[in-house]
Amino acid sequence: MTYSTDFITKNIPLTWSDVLWGYEKQLIGWRVPIEIANVRLKTDTSFDLLEFELAGVQKDQDWKVGQIIEELSRKEAIPKLVSKEKWLFLTLLWLYENQDSIEGSLRKVEEVYANFDYPEEIVAFVNFMGPSNGYDTTSHTLSENQNKMMENWKDYLDKTRARLSDI
């Protein structure tokens, strides 16, 4: 999965701690933090000089990106769990929005579930997990069960977007 800067910035506000988390987990490459810095320089009236430095990093200096975003993140008091939750949301949102071009998107959710250390909040749409809300899968067709999981996925995205937009 590759996330464009546009996808990230239009969907959820990220702190530099969030950017660092995604960068360290290799969810984004070295260009995305530079592009985020450029967006901030264009839209924010107050910015850190390190953001200005980051915005100017060229390919032959890509090694600087990690150092600069690490310095920027030190100025924030953001728990890593919040960053992990934002990237879980972005990953699941990207999969949801691109499910038509991805074969077995619900199987991909299983991979995300494992890659993010089995987060409880997405169990309702992980294929191999049984429903915990009283929904009886045996009373429904396979298609109805898949539709229910897709509804649960959409519900998670809507609720999580609203909650994380304020963080």
Side-chain angles (χ1 to χ4, degrees), residues 135-162:
Y135 179 83
D136 182 11
T137 58
T138 61
S139 300
H140 302 277
T141 67
L142 177 61
S143 178
E144 289 171 332
N145 289 334
Q146 287 177 330
N147 287 340
K148 180 64 175 170
M149 288 194 334
M150 295 305 286
E151 288 173 21
N152 291 343
W153 190 354
K154 176 77 169 107
D155 187 52
Y156 161 83
L157 292 172
D158 292 341
K159 288 178 180 174
T160 303
R161 179 191 308 267

Side-chain angles (χ1 to χ4, degrees), residues 1-16 19 23 27-43 54-55 65 69 87 89-90 93-94 97 161:
M1 285 174 257
T2 56
Y3 309 101
S4 69
T5 304
D6 184 53
F7 171 80
I8 294 167
T9 57
K10 81 174 185 177
N11 283 299
I12 195 160
L14 294 182
T15 64
W16 286 114
V19 173
Y23 181 75
L27 296 172
I28 55 174
W30 64 274
R31 284 189 171 104
V32 172
I34 294 168
E35 292 168 356
I36 290 173
N38 278 300
V39 167
R40 289 187 184 193
L41 291 176
K42 291 175 188 168
T43 58
L54 179 58
V65 171
I69 56 178
W87 283 103
F89 167 78
L90 285 169
L93 177 63
W94 189 91
E97 289 182 355
R161 179 191 308 267

Side-chain angles (χ1 to χ4, degrees), residues 13-26:
L14 294 182
T15 64
W16 286 114
S17 296
D18 301 331
V19 173
L20 179 63
W21 196 93
Y23 181 75
E24 287 177 339
K25 302 296 181 190
Q26 298 178 346

Side-chain angles (χ1 to χ4, degrees), residues 61-74:
Q61 301 171 322
D62 64 347
W63 55 270
K64 288 183 178 182
V65 171
Q67 293 174 346
I68 296 171
I69 56 178
E70 190 172 324
E71 281 185 61
L72 285 164
S73 71
R74 279 192 216 124

Side-chain angles (χ1 to χ4, degrees), residues 79-139:
K80 288 189 185 260
L81 284 177
V82 172
S83 296
K84 181 179 180 179
E85 189 175 9
K86 287 182 179 182
W87 283 103
L88 173 63
F89 167 78
L90 285 169
T91 300
L92 290 169
L93 177 63
W94 189 91
L95 276 174
Y96 188 84
E97 289 182 355
N98 293 282
Q99 64 184 294
D100 292 339
S101 61
I102 298 171
E103 189 174 327
S105 60
L106 284 171
R107 281 194 310 275
K108 293 289 185 189
V109 170
E110 294 174 10
E111 292 174 22
V112 171
Y113 182 62
N115 290 342
F116 279 83
D117 300 321
Y118 310 98
E120 184 67 30
E121 60 269 27
I122 72 168
V123 166
F125 55 97
V126 174
N127 222 0
F128 62 80
M129 300 295 290
S132 59
N133 59 356
Y135 179 83
D136 182 11
T137 58
T138 61
S139 300

